[in-house]
Amino acid sequence: MIDPLTLNEFIVKKQDEVQFSSGELSQLLGAITLASKIVHREINKAGLLDITGSAGVQNIQGEDQQKLDVYANEKFKQALALRGHVCGIASEEEDDFVSFSNNNQSLSKYVVAYDPIDGSSNIDVNIPVGTIFSIYKRKSSNEKPVEISDFLRFGREQVAAGYVIYGSSTMLVYTTGQGVNGFTFDPSVGEFYLSHENMRIPERGSIYSINEGNADKFSEGAKCYLEACKSGNTLSGKPYSARYVGSLVADFHRNLIKGGIFIYPSYRGVPNGKLRLLYECNPLAFIVEQAGGSASDGNTRILDLTMNELHQRCPLFIGSKEMVTEAENLMRSEI
Ligand code: AHG
Ligand code: MN
Ligand code: MN
């Protein structure tokens, strides 16, 4: 059996289908995969180091080993600052956006927003976590440094989006608007290989993912939908299975492959839900739509939501198209 394509071979093969100039996407994804290989290495030592806090050991730069969120954030920021045609980044771990002004990076064409470690509370209990990223072409003139307006965009303007899941294997899944493809990391050679070509989410599944611990505070509509999932009063006519990992990337990835719906709704005391539009909801919404699924805030398509601030939160209903529609209809009927 011939080796499957590596990520770079795949990018070269698809070059004429994407809206990136030759070499740009390779460099952008090259920076992201480089950082993800470093994070993969640290996560796989989790059993040896307490990487959710200070491990009390020094890394090669002489820094104290930091909390993995911050550590991963630095690795992605360094990788993108040094290569990848990026003029600035926004991150869950940075209060404001970061402008890259060295060696005229500030004139580069792309901005990247990312959640360096999604589900980081699961690190020390060995449950899969992930990285989520979103790429836009800058809007402001590239004669000047990047501006906030380059990040406050509609999700439908993304030119690429993806995630890395550090699970039983480490996988990169991404889209540039030409479908969704998944690559599995082989640590023995340090390459990501095409393993899931043209991923499509089943129109319908039998899995629902929601933190039922918050159910007492849910809206009547959300409570009604939750009951339907349990009673079988749904499209499938039988009860769904509950699966909730506590890492959005892990719940999303399972539903992408098996079909299902993930919901993080707004509820009493949490009016906009918990998840962030820029670097969690928009990139996964781009991916799920490219795989034939859908994503909304319960009313409006995620990719059409107006973004007013960098860390803006929004409710998220994402997954199999028929299940998202069913949840939206039930939510509306109960308003
Ligand atoms: P992060 O670790 O980047 O802050 O993201 C955690 C998110 C998401 O991964 C997950 O689905 C959700 O938090 C779980 O929240 P609850 O514990 O409130 O259910
Ligand atoms: Mn997250
Ligand atoms: Mn995070």
Side-chain angles (χ1 to χ4, degrees):
M1 181 181 136
I2 53 164
D3 262 354
L5 289 178
T6 65
L7 174 59
N8 273 333
E9 288 166 339
F10 181 81
I11 291 171
V12 168
K13 181 180 167 200
K14 299 282 183 180
Q15 180 58 52
D16 55 355
E17 292 175 18
V18 299
Q19 50 179 316
F20 290 87
S21 311
S22 171
E24 284 181 338
L25 183 61
S26 294
Q27 290 229 21
L28 276 163
L29 289 183
I32 289 166
T33 50
L34 173 65
S36 67
K37 292 174 188 175
I38 295 169
V39 171
H40 161 93
R41 182 191 64 198
E42 292 311 294
I43 284 178
N44 282 2
K45 286 191 294 190
L48 305 173
L49 298 173
D50 167 10
I51 51 176
T52 53
S54 166
V57 290
Q58 300 238 319
N59 63 19
I60 46 172
Q61 291 96 347
E63 299 156 337
D64 280 338
Q65 184 81 33
Q66 301 165 5
K67 185 176 165 61
L68 196 78
D69 290 308
V70 176
Y71 178 83
N73 181 53
E74 286 308 314
K75 292 305 165 193
F76 280 96
K77 193 164 49 172
Q78 287 162 9
L80 290 165
L82 295 174
R83 59 182 72 74
H85 302 281
V86 178
C87 55
I89 59 104
S91 163
E92 181 196 9
E93 307 303 337
E94 300 281 346
D95 293 351
D96 201 352
F97 67 88
V98 175
S99 171
F100 294 152
S101 48
N102 55 332
N103 55 40
N104 65 38
Q105 281 280 125
S106 62
L107 310 183
S108 297
K109 274 166 66 178
Y110 298 99
V111 295
V112 180
Y114 60 84
D115 176 359
I117 297 291
D118 172 66
S120 50
S121 62
N122 281 325
I123 278 280
D124 54 355
V125 293
N126 228 340
I127 287 176
V129 296
T131 297
I132 311 171
F133 62 90
S134 172
I135 303 174
Y136 295 86
K137 259 195 191 133
R138 71 182 298 176
K139 273 194 336 189
S140 62
S141 146
N142 67 3
E143 305 295 319
K144 298 182 300 178
V146 70
E147 300 168 359
I148 184 68
S149 62
D150 291 310
F151 295 95
L152 301 183
R153 313 283 285 274
F154 290 106
R156 61 178 183 255
E157 297 177 65
Q158 292 173 94
V159 291
Y163 61 85
V164 181
I165 178 166
Y166 309 97
S168 40
S169 66
T170 290
M171 272 191 71
L172 167 79
V173 176
Y174 82 92
T175 184
T176 56
Q178 317 295 330
V180 178
N181 292 285
F183 299 79
T184 299
F185 183 52
D186 179 346
S188 66
V189 294
E191 281 288 1
F192 279 91
Y193 286 99
L194 180 63
S195 54
H196 296 66
E197 188 162 12
N198 192 24
M199 298 177 82
R200 303 293 293 172
I201 185 168
E203 289 281 312
R204 191 192 307 171
S206 56
I207 291 171
Y208 73 102
S209 307
I210 189 167
N211 183 340
E212 299 196 37
N214 302 318
D216 281 355
K217 294 175 273 189
F218 285 173
S219 68
E220 286 314 306
K223 286 178 183 170
C224 177
Y225 179 66
L226 196 50
E227 273 323 301
C229 290
K230 295 178 180 180
S231 65
N233 181 19
T234 60
L235 283 168
S236 68
K238 52 186 191 313
Y240 291 152
S241 297
R243 294 285 184 277
Y244 193 76
V245 175
S247 297
L248 169 60
V249 170
D251 280 317
F252 177 84
H253 184 71
R254 181 202 54 245
N255 292 352
L256 178 65
I257 290 173
K258 296 193 167 187
I261 185 170
F262 173 95
I263 299 176
Y264 206 105
S266 57
Y267 53 85
R268 198 169 61 246
V270 185
N272 298 309
K274 171 181 183 181
L275 301 172
R276 279 54 57 108
L277 180 57
L278 176 60
Y279 41 76
E280 289 173 315
C281 301
N282 268 334
L284 296 185
F286 187 16
I287 291 168
V288 84
E289 287 197 2
Q290 283 292 311
S294 55
S296 79
D297 65 358
N299 285 303
T300 306
R301 181 184 180 226
I302 292 287
L303 297 182
D304 291 337
L305 290 177
T306 301
M307 195 182 304
N308 302 305
E309 52 178 60
L310 222 45
H311 300 289
Q312 177 174 324
R313 299 177 193 269
C314 69
L316 180 63
F317 293 67
I318 190 167
S320 296
K321 186 176 292 217
E322 288 183 19
M323 297 177 82
V324 172
T325 304
E326 178 183 52
E328 289 168 343
N329 292 340
L330 259 175
M331 301 281 287
R332 282 193 198 107
S333 67
E334 292 298 314
I335 290 176

